[in-house]
Amino acid sequence: MSRSREVTGKVIAVTGGARGIGRAIAERLTAAGARVAIGDRDLEAAQETAAELGVRAYSLDVADRDSFDDYLGAVRRDLGPIDVLINNAGIMWVGSFEEEPDSAARAQLEVNLLGVINGVKAAAPAMREAGRGHLIAVASAASILPIPGEATYAATKAGVLGYFRAVRAEMRGKGVDTSVIMPAVVDTALATGTGTGVVRLLRPDDVARAVVEVVVRPRFEITVPGFIGSATRWVSLLPQRLKDRAFVAMVPDQVAQVRAGARAGYETATFTTSRARQRSRRAASAE
């Protein structure tokens, strides 16, 4: 049976907390009495959110292990031991896998997957030593569903689920909980111009509610809405031909549905920054 836990007073670190799902998570947790510290590579936006919500804000590039260590070190210094780490930061490129720029694929792997790995490695040792803690990743329904137009994004989110399954096995009996939240399409900048399939468009607060619920009562795999998990498990029992038909009916074809030009602003801003960061790292490693 799951254990019910108090949120009040918990020190909770949330990555990608300046906007969207991360902001909604910070807002709900703060309302529940948690002491929240958001990290984001856009420090100015994070500071604005922090001022509005009454939380702490820090600079964070999840793809940089040193930056993650500095972020969690600052949170521990200012607020105390971290009870919960919520790995929420993520980016997405949408379109045919053949047309995806190599730099966009690399950036998604760095932020969505390596960023989570960096977070777990930075937070887990102290939690294991204390015999308590909770590692949470906001992944995606793309972790378990085949979504045309999101090949690399889906690979990173499936990687997060696989990574957390292995970490959970290693941490069993150590007092540290692990949870993976897998929402359908959420109304954020990341999903601009995409389709939702058979599921309604979620609000960031729908995901935030699920996160708070899992902090209170830890579970491992959670889909939002919940029926996605059970439907996917049922479909997986079918022969491949029928399975393919079922997924075509359930899952949006983002190659066909994404609106021309609708994502230009998001992808230019997101992946231009990522390319600059990649060039900076290559230059630093060459010195």
Side-chain angles (χ1 to χ4, degrees):
M1 181 179 294
S2 297
R3 303 177 303 281
S4 181
R5 294 178 173 174
E6 181 60 63
V7 176
T8 302
K10 282 187 180 292
V11 175
I12 302 181
V14 183
T15 73
R19 306 178 179 87
I21 294 172
R23 178 193 170 103
I25 291 170
E27 184 171 10
R28 271 205 172 256
L29 287 170
T30 301
R35 302 165 68 198
V36 178
I38 61 174
D40 203 287
R41 68 184 183 187
D42 187 340
L43 179 58
E44 183 177 350
Q47 289 172 331
E48 291 176 2
T49 294
E52 293 170 6
L53 301 184
V55 303
R56 300 262 188 163
Y58 303 85
S59 176
L60 170 64
D61 178 356
V62 297
D64 184 327
R65 175 61 191 274
D66 290 338
S67 177
F68 223 128
D69 285 337
D70 290 345
Y71 164 56
L72 295 188
V75 175
R76 293 185 185 105
R77 182 192 66 228
D78 295 341
L79 299 178
I82 296 166
D83 296 297
V84 183
L85 170 65
I86 301 173
N87 295 279
N88 165 74
I91 58 177
M92 181 172 72
W93 187 91
V94 177
S96 167
F97 70 87
E98 296 174 284
E99 298 175 359
E100 179 186 50
D102 291 344
S103 58
R106 188 176 298 110
Q108 290 171 92
L109 287 163
E110 288 188 347
V111 173
N112 300 355
L113 182 54
L114 182 60
V116 171
I117 293 171
N118 286 338
V120 170
K121 287 183 175 180
M127 291 181 177
R128 181 170 52 203
E129 183 176 351
R132 62 183 179 83
H134 197 167
L135 301 166
I136 298 174
V138 178
S140 168
S143 301
I144 56 175
L145 294 173
I147 304 180
E150 298 179 7
T152 299
Y153 178 78
T156 64
K157 295 302 186 176
V160 168
L161 178 58
Y163 184 75
F164 258 63
R165 283 173 173 166
V167 168
R168 178 173 182 261
E170 289 189 41
M171 298 291 276
R172 189 174 291 119
K174 304 296 192 302
V176 180
D177 290 300
T178 50
S179 301
V180 181
I181 312 291
M182 295 174 281
V185 180
V186 185
D187 187 12
T188 64
L190 178 145
T192 298
T194 61
T196 63
V198 298
V199 180
R200 69 174 175 83
L201 182 65
L202 300 175
R203 296 173 295 113
D205 191 59
D206 294 323
V207 184
R209 186 183 304 111
V211 170
V212 174
E213 289 174 356
V214 87
V215 170
V216 173
R217 192 175 294 276
R219 292 183 293 142
F220 181 55
E221 295 183 24
I222 303 94
T223 58
V224 184
F227 75 81
I228 291 177
S230 56
T232 302
R233 286 189 293 273
W234 181 83
V235 170
S236 68
L237 300 175
L238 298 174
Q240 189 64 52
R241 179 173 56 85
L242 297 179
K243 188 186 303 183
D244 290 342
R245 288 183 181 178
F247 281 135
V248 166
M250 291 170 55
V251 177
D253 182 344
Q254 304 295 20
V255 176
Q257 294 191 26
V258 69
R259 298 193 299 274
R263 295 182 55 77
Y266 166 80
E267 290 184 353
T268 298
T270 299
F271 293 106
T272 298
T273 300
S274 296
R275 285 195 296 273
R277 187 175 65 239
Q278 290 166 8
R279 286 195 297 269
S280 177
R281 288 208 190 101
R282 286 196 294 270
S285 64
E287 292 177 355

